[in-house]
């Protein structure tokens, strides 16, 4: 038997000046425009629509991207697109043992979307 205890740590409040400096720094990094090619790996030739708000207080933006399109988008959105993944299950039919609970499976992580900066073309 194992007993694990987790304690919630108290967040140390940050000075408002220091916090606003960090937000300004994050905004500056996020708003840097990057030109590149968008690829929708799940649906080649397709498009994707989504809404996103990058920082609190910002307006909600609707973003429409088409596969193969060359666009200028902010670096924060590039990071978001390149971190969009899906899990694809693989069933292990060779070692199928019905006495155990469920079907043995593992999964691969695959990227759904890709944004490649034009510097690499």
């Amino acid at each position: 038997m194992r007993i694990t205890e987790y304690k919630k740590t108290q967040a140390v409040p940050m000075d408002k000046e220091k916090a606003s400096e960090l937000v300004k720094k994050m905004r500056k990094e996020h708003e840097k425009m990057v030109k590149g090619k968008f690829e929708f790996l799940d649906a080649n030739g397709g498009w994707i629509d989504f809404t996103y708000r990058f920082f609190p207080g910002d307006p909600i933006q609707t973003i429409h991207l088409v596969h193969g399109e060359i666009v200028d988008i902010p670096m924060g959105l590039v990071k978001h697109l390149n971190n969009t993944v899906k899990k694809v299950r693989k069933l292990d039919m060779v070692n199928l043992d019905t006495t155990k609970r469920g079907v043995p499976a593992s999964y691969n992580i695959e990227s759904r979307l890709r944004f490649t900066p034009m510097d690499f073309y």
Side-chain angles (χ1 to χ4, degrees), residues 25-109:
K25 183 180 175 185
M26 286 172 53
R27 277 186 191 267
K28 185 177 179 183
E29 179 183 323
H30 170 71
E31 291 174 352
K32 180 182 172 191
M33 297 302 280
V34 180
K35 184 176 184 173
K37 183 177 180 182
F38 171 74
E39 296 176 86
F40 192 5
L41 303 175
D42 269 358
N44 288 339
W47 50 269
I48 186 167
D49 270 339
F50 61 97
T51 56
Y52 202 80
R53 179 184 359 212
F54 298 105
F55 295 100
D58 284 355
I60 296 175
Q61 300 175 340
T62 299
I63 298 159
H64 176 83
L65 295 168
V66 179
H67 175 80
E69 186 176 30
I70 296 176
V71 292
D72 284 330
I73 58 175
M75 178 59 92
L77 183 57
V78 171
K79 289 179 181 179
H80 175 76
L81 291 174
N82 286 336
N83 287 327
T84 305
V85 296
K86 66 179 177 178
K87 293 180 181 179
V88 179
R89 272 182 45 171
K90 295 188 311 183
L91 299 177
D92 187 13
M93 300 308 263
V94 175
N95 300 326
L96 187 61
D97 185 9
T98 57
T99 60
K100 294 183 181 178
R101 182 176 158 242
V103 177
S106 62
Y107 62 89
N108 289 338
I109 296 177

